[in-house]
Amino acid sequence: MSERLQTAPLRPYLAGALASYLLAYFYMREVVLYHGFAGWGLPVFALLFLLWVELLARPLHRAAAPETPLWGACWLTLSAGMWAFGQQPVLWGWQTLAWHLFAVWYVLARCGMLAQGYTGVLCFLDALAGLVVLPFGNFFRRIAVLAAGGRALLRRRMKLRRAATAALTALVTLALCAVAWQLLAAVDTHFAALGLALTRWLTGWLDSPSLLQTLLTVLLSLPVGAWLYGLVAGSLRRTGPVFPADRFFERLQPLRQLPAVTANVAVGALCALYTLFFALQAAEWLAAAPLGLTAPQAADFAVDGFWELLRILLLGFAVLAAVRFLGKKPLPRLLAALFCAYGLAFAALAGAKLAVYIRLYGFTPRRVVAGWFLCVLTVWAVLLLVRVFRAIPAARIGLAVLAVSFTLLACVNIKQRIVQGNIARYAAGQDEELDLHVLWECGFTPWAGDRDGFLDYTVDLVNAGWFEGRTPEDVRELYDLTAAPDRVYYGKVDGRTRLRLQFGQDWRCTGADLT
């Protein structure tokens, strides 16, 4: 695609290039290095970045795609959720990846650079363009823009003379003040002491580790700023997307070699196999229904095959995608509807297994994420089934559901709810022991830096009687204990509260309270 290099106004690009240095420095300092994608810098950077992109795109009169508000809102909300609750268990890394993808898709949507004009089945091409092609393809664009700005400044001799006059004035003034300072210091000892204190402060700042950290942050921010500017400026300088949908499908046409009979037979065989599976399942349930479902049978039903059912669902989506992109003809409507209906049936069976599993054994981070993912897959299966009979933007709606639900999942304090839920099950006698591995996974550890919720956890454990009969070694699995006289131990709860434990002659806990 051609670029509007000569006709594009220089001022917005020059202002954006200068602002990119500050944005990149803030990103490296407050988002990456000092807070690790979990601090207040996340929502602040997201807001500043959105304003930066808008101030660049508006003077160039770029029309935004319909998904622009969606990606902007998801990115801001995800940033606020990661700041408030940190990274969720099991989603470590995925939230950071989604955070960057939302930003990239927002830029492409705001600049009108989405492959299909909207976020659809070619979203992976948009991600490739936004993460790799545009930023690295325009990596040195910022230097070129600054050089062009410098040349434009040189053409305006009057302004250049004013700048030279201002620089000369500053140098002369500093030199005169330095000479005067030395003379006055020789007259008054207090004035000399003030100068010495200022000199020591400046020398200490130059020799301090903070200066080295600042310099390192600045150096690391330079390539980051070039990447950010390359993404935005590269998008604005183009007249069309990097991977246009029409060109993609045109180049995909020679690969559409999957015969219709092969696709029909393969999907039909899968439907026959699924029919046999559900027939056997129905027979087993009908045989067991009069006798009732015992606890071991319920446990076996919950445990066996849940993750395999999720993989079956993903296999079904992969088969439909292969037919969509590589098949010569689409599936017959009746066969496609039957295949999608089986996907819904597998989703319902997996949901039943997960519900029984949670009822028997409680919540864990892995089960919560599995439930969310299963709900998303179920929505996708419904959309595909509707798509068979009515032309709807199923991929567009499905991606919006995935993005919004993922964002909302990150805005729920899952860790706190899981810990309190497991303690409540122990207090009610549903579980004989607390699953400490689950609590550790949710951040309830002696070495946890963020102790938000520890006071509530401790109150629940005291009320549930968990400390009674425990040894100091047992309690140390959740608290950092400090010994005191008379077999008393104290554990850190938060900044203002301590846990006080009294142990008997056999070193078993006989009393627990908060001080």
Side-chain angles (χ1 to χ4, degrees):
M1 284 291 175
S2 62
E3 296 184 351
R4 300 179 296 173
L5 184 58
Q6 288 79 14
T7 59
L10 177 62
R11 183 173 296 179
Y13 289 113
L14 185 58
L18 294 174
S20 67
Y21 285 96
L22 299 177
L23 271 177
Y25 178 80
F26 185 86
Y27 171 82
M28 290 303 303
R29 180 180 176 86
E30 301 299 341
V31 176
V32 179
L33 296 179
Y34 291 89
H35 298 285
F37 293 97
W40 61 270
L42 280 168
V44 174
F45 174 80
L47 182 60
L48 293 175
F49 186 84
L50 293 179
L51 293 175
W52 179 57
V53 174
E54 185 63 28
L55 291 176
L56 269 171
R58 188 176 292 272
L60 301 175
H61 308 290
R62 299 305 294 261
E67 275 80 9
T68 304
L70 170 67
W71 295 125
C74 284
W75 194 34
L76 283 174
T77 307
L78 180 62
S79 302
M82 292 170 66
W83 170 37
F85 306 118
Q87 303 241 13
Q88 302 286 11
V90 185
L91 292 178
W92 292 98
W94 289 106
Q95 285 179 267
T96 304
L97 175 62
W99 191 80
H100 288 91
L101 281 176
F102 288 172
V104 166
W105 282 331
Y106 170 80
V107 172
L108 297 181
R110 179 60 187 89
C111 300
M113 290 292 110
L114 295 174
Q116 297 174 271
Y118 57 87
T119 307
V121 292
L122 300 185
C123 61
F124 62 94
L125 290 180
D126 293 327
L128 177 62
L131 291 173
V132 180
V133 178
L134 284 171
F136 289 109
N138 296 272
F139 197 73
F140 299 102
R141 182 72 65 186
R142 182 169 65 171
I143 297 176
V145 169
L146 293 177
R151 289 192 298 269
L153 183 62
L154 289 175
R155 296 192 195 100
R156 302 179 180 182
R157 296 183 178 179
M158 185 59 68
K159 290 188 176 181
L160 187 60
R161 289 176 182 176
R162 291 178 181 176
T165 302
L168 179 61
T169 303
L171 288 175
V172 172
T173 303
L174 288 175
L176 290 175
C177 288
V179 173
W181 190 287
Q182 291 181 352
L183 294 175
L184 293 173
V187 175
D188 191 302
T189 56
H190 296 289
F191 196 83
L194 176 61
L196 183 60
L198 289 175
T199 303
R200 288 177 178 175
W201 173 82
L202 181 60
T203 305
W205 181 78
L206 291 175
D207 294 337
S208 65
S210 60
L211 178 61
L212 180 60
Q213 294 174 355
T214 301
L215 292 176
L216 179 61
T217 305
V218 169
L219 290 176
L220 292 175
S221 69
L222 293 178
V224 173
W227 189 95
L228 292 174
Y229 186 77
L231 169 63
V232 180
S235 300
L236 291 172
R237 298 178 79 91
R238 297 185 65 90
T239 58
V242 178
F243 303 111
D246 53 353
R247 184 189 298 178
F248 173 80
F249 287 113
E250 179 183 349
R251 294 186 177 182
L252 186 66
Q253 197 62 34
L255 300 179
R256 292 181 178 272
Q257 299 298 325
L258 182 65
V261 63
T262 303
N264 296 342
V265 169
V267 174
L270 286 176
C271 288
L273 186 63
Y274 296 162
T275 302
L276 177 61
F277 172 81
F278 279 107
L280 290 176
Q281 287 278 303
E284 292 176 5
W285 277 98
L286 289 175
L291 303 176
L293 196 63
T294 63
Q297 288 174 333
D300 292 340
F301 168 77
V303 173
D304 292 342
F306 172 77
W307 298 107
E308 285 71 17
L309 289 174
L310 286 186
R311 295 187 184 99
I312 283 287
L313 277 170
L314 294 175
L315 175 63
F317 291 126
V319 169
L320 292 175
V323 175
R324 167 70 174 85
F325 288 107
L326 303 178
K328 291 184 176 181
K329 293 182 180 180
L331 294 173
R333 179 173 294 184
L334 182 61
L335 182 61
L338 181 62
F339 192 66
C340 293
Y342 273 122
L344 280 176
F346 281 121
L349 181 59
K353 285 179 173 290
L354 183 62
V356 174
Y357 204 102
I358 291 174
R359 183 174 180 81
L360 290 175
Y361 304 109
F363 285 99
T364 66
R366 187 178 176 87
R367 291 165 201 164
V368 171
V369 173
W372 160 76
F373 191 53
L374 179 61
C375 290
V376 172
L377 293 181
T378 304
V379 172
W380 286 3
V382 171
L383 290 172
L384 288 176
L385 183 58
V386 175
R387 181 71 173 79
V388 173
F389 300 100
R390 185 177 179 181
I392 61 170
R396 193 174 180 180
I397 299 173
L399 285 170
V401 169
L402 175 63
V404 172
S405 61
F406 184 88
T407 302
L408 294 178
L409 182 67
C411 294
V412 177
N413 196 349
I414 297 176
K415 296 176 286 188
Q416 185 174 11
R417 293 178 182 274
I418 290 175
V419 171
Q420 292 180 333
N422 277 269
I423 295 176
R425 288 176 60 89
Y426 173 79
Q430 291 178 271
D431 298 330
E432 294 183 2
E433 272 297 342
L434 276 176
D435 191 341
L436 297 184
H437 292 282
V438 174
L439 271 57
W440 295 338
E441 193 175 5
C442 295
F444 192 6
T445 59
W447 54 86
D450 181 13
R451 308 190 72 81
D452 183 35
F454 270 46
L455 179 59
D456 294 334
Y457 304 158
T458 307
V459 170
D460 292 339
L461 288 175
V462 171
N463 293 335
W466 182 80
F467 294 100
E468 297 177 7
R470 304 285 173 182
T471 64
E473 288 72 23
D474 294 335
V475 180
R476 280 195 177 97
E477 293 183 324
L478 296 179
Y479 296 91
D480 184 15
L481 296 181
T482 302
D486 299 328
R487 299 181 185 271
V488 175
Y489 279 78
Y490 289 96
K492 180 182 178 182
V493 176
D494 56 22
R496 296 178 298 176
T497 308
R498 291 191 304 170
L499 172 67
R500 182 181 181 277
L501 300 174
Q502 179 69 53
F503 291 89
Q505 295 295 330
D506 58 352
W507 289 104
R508 297 284 177 177
C509 182
T510 58
D513 57 77
L514 296 172
T515 61

